[in-house]
Amino acid sequence: MLHLISDQRRAGAQNFARDLHRELRRRGQASALCALAPQPAGRPAVETHRGRRTDLSADRACDPSPEASPDREEEPAATLRAAVLGAGRLRPGTLRALRSAARSADVVLAHGSDTLAACALALAGTRTPFVYVSVGHPRYWTATRLRRARGGTLMHRAAAVTTLTDEARTVLEEQFHLPDGKVHVIPNSRAAESYPPADSRDDRRAARHALGLPADVLLVAWIGAIAPEKRLDLALDVLDRLPDVRLAVAGDGPLRDVLARHPAAARAHFLGALPDPAPLYRAADALLLTSDSEGVPGALIEAALAGVPAVATDVGWVREVVRDGATGALVAPGDPLALAEALGKVLACNRAGLGAAARAHALEHFELGAVVDDWQRLVTEVWVDSTTPRS
């Protein structure tokens, strides 16, 4: 099995691909992880693993053969590096490298929209089937006729499509006229062991120290691409209304320089794209999600597994992760005043109780081990179908 991600960032689709890749290898499944392109332009992500500092933008060859896939040692999912196929996501050289790598794979899992286009182009005319793993809200990226036409053309080339909820499956089937049985619902999930909660106040302080964050303040985490739909501007507006709170921003994107000049940015810590978000969850008192559009956000699942309550905009299927009043708070999108009020209440109440409830809910509904069997069944079905002679 070959997992394909768009680049080496620690974003939602990439995080899930790493967790699933690691768990499948642990179960004895031959599996490889490749990225279409290196870390995007900007600050390169640098990780520390067993005392070694590694620039994640370094190219490595991608070999999905069974001999190359088993781990020599048990490596945390956060430090698993994806081999880079090319200098750009859809460049001709990248597509040729993907076509070559796929020759040794029985099935390719394409995690994210750029990987859908790459697989549709690079694998055309080959015998290697691919599964498109859709993680966003389909109504957001099917909003225009051009997007629907492009997405439909590409999606019809996939052997199967997975999405996160029954509603999303209905949207995909209706928008793209996909045949019955092509779209499969498999919930978003994460490996609980990758996001351990802080086990003491000292552990929380150590996590803050490692990230260069202040020790004795109310600290709220914001994690995501600094792009228009994620609305970091709202988070900074919220910060402006809560003078005793600091904001730790993990992510990068086109609006970073503009938002760094926001009046409240003096109390925000821009950490860039973290190679592993787990230390930030251990450092934080709460997570803030301000997006205008989401599917089932991986960051909310990760924070919940780490025992961190969340305040989030009620978009997509966020309410499947955040139970309003029980594990955090839900607020209508686009309202900084309501977000500030909700966050203030969460920070002032029993955060430990909310966090424990969030972790229990995530373990029951979003732990990776519960859905890996579904992935293995689907991949087996796709492989068998691809090898069955047509009458």
Side-chain angles (χ1 to χ4, degrees):
M1 192 183 307
L2 172 60
H3 298 266
L4 183 67
I5 57 180
S6 58
D7 53 54
Q8 295 172 311
R9 289 175 299 169
R10 294 291 309 181
Q14 292 94 323
N15 285 357
F16 173 69
R18 286 181 173 94
D19 276 357
L20 180 58
H21 164 61
R22 181 174 183 267
E23 180 59 27
L24 288 170
R25 282 163 51 140
R26 178 184 289 171
R27 294 186 178 202
Q29 172 78 54
S31 178
L33 178 68
C34 289
L36 291 171
Q39 184 80 10
R43 298 183 181 182
V46 178
E47 68 185 19
T48 301
H49 177 49
R50 297 187 179 97
R52 302 189 301 271
R53 287 174 59 82
T54 305
D55 181 352
L56 293 188
S57 65
D59 285 355
R60 297 164 62 233
C62 181
D63 180 6
S65 64
E67 292 78 14
S69 58
D71 283 318
R72 290 186 177 88
E73 36 183 335
E74 190 71 8
E75 188 173 7
T79 62
L80 286 172
R81 287 171 290 148
V84 177
L85 294 172
R89 297 181 185 183
L90 297 177
R91 292 186 181 183
T94 303
L95 298 180
R96 287 194 296 271
L98 172 57
R99 189 179 182 94
S100 177
R103 292 194 189 105
S104 300
D106 293 310
V107 178
V108 176
L109 293 187
H111 298 265
S113 57
D114 285 329
T115 65
L116 169 63
C119 284
L121 293 169
L123 304 184
T126 73
R127 295 183 178 181
T128 305
F130 74 92
V131 176
Y132 173 50
V133 184
S134 172
V135 297
H137 196 303
R139 291 197 187 280
Y140 181 79
W141 50 266
T142 59
T144 67
R145 183 177 300 176
L146 179 61
R147 283 185 176 184
R148 288 194 294 273
R150 177 179 179 272
T153 299
L154 298 174
M155 224 169 287
H156 275 275
R157 296 188 181 181
V161 175
T162 69
T163 191
L164 304 177
T165 69
D166 289 326
E167 182 184 344
R169 174 171 58 188
T170 299
V171 173
L172 290 174
E173 290 174 341
E174 291 177 351
Q175 295 280 10
F176 300 124
H177 307 289
L178 298 174
D180 291 344
K182 184 157 192 164
V183 184
H184 303 257
V185 176
I186 303 180
N188 201 359
S189 57
R190 292 291 189 273
E193 66 191 60
S194 296
Y195 307 98
D199 57 16
S200 66
R201 183 177 179 181
D202 287 344
D203 188 17
R204 190 177 303 278
R205 289 171 64 92
R208 293 185 179 191
H209 177 74
L211 292 168
L213 298 170
D216 297 313
V217 297
L218 286 172
L219 182 70
V220 175
W222 187 97
I223 297 178
I226 306 180
E229 71 275 10
K230 299 298 184 180
R231 298 301 306 272
L232 177 59
D233 60 309
L234 279 181
L236 292 169
D237 288 345
V238 169
L239 192 63
D240 211 18
R241 291 168 167 80
L242 299 173
D244 296 330
V245 174
R246 297 288 188 96
L247 187 70
V249 178
D252 219 331
L255 299 181
R256 172 172 172 162
D257 290 342
V258 172
L259 294 176
R261 296 192 291 270
H262 188 283
R267 287 187 288 114
H269 304 267
F270 288 82
L271 304 176
L274 296 177
D276 178 11
L280 181 54
Y281 296 128
R282 290 198 297 276
D285 294 302
L287 178 76
L288 179 61
L289 183 139
T290 50
S291 302
D292 283 339
S293 175
E294 290 286 355
V296 181
L300 290 179
I301 296 173
E302 293 164 8
L305 289 170
V308 178
V311 174
T313 45
D314 190 8
V315 296
W317 301 285
V318 163
R319 62 175 48 243
E320 294 196 5
V321 185
V322 179
R323 300 168 63 201
D324 190 33
T327 70
L330 293 172
V331 179
D335 189 342
L337 184 61
L339 281 165
E341 182 179 353
L343 181 59
K345 288 180 179 178
V346 165
L347 292 172
C349 75
N350 179 17
R351 296 194 301 273
L354 290 174
R359 178 169 168 78
H361 179 66
L363 287 172
E364 181 179 356
H365 297 282
F366 300 107
E367 212 289 312
L368 181 66
V371 300
V372 171
D373 288 345
D374 293 337
W375 282 103
Q376 289 187 298
R377 278 193 294 269
L378 174 60
V379 168
T380 299
E381 290 172 9
V382 167
W383 175 70
V384 169
D385 187 60
S386 73
T387 57
T388 302
R390 305 294 180 183
S391 56

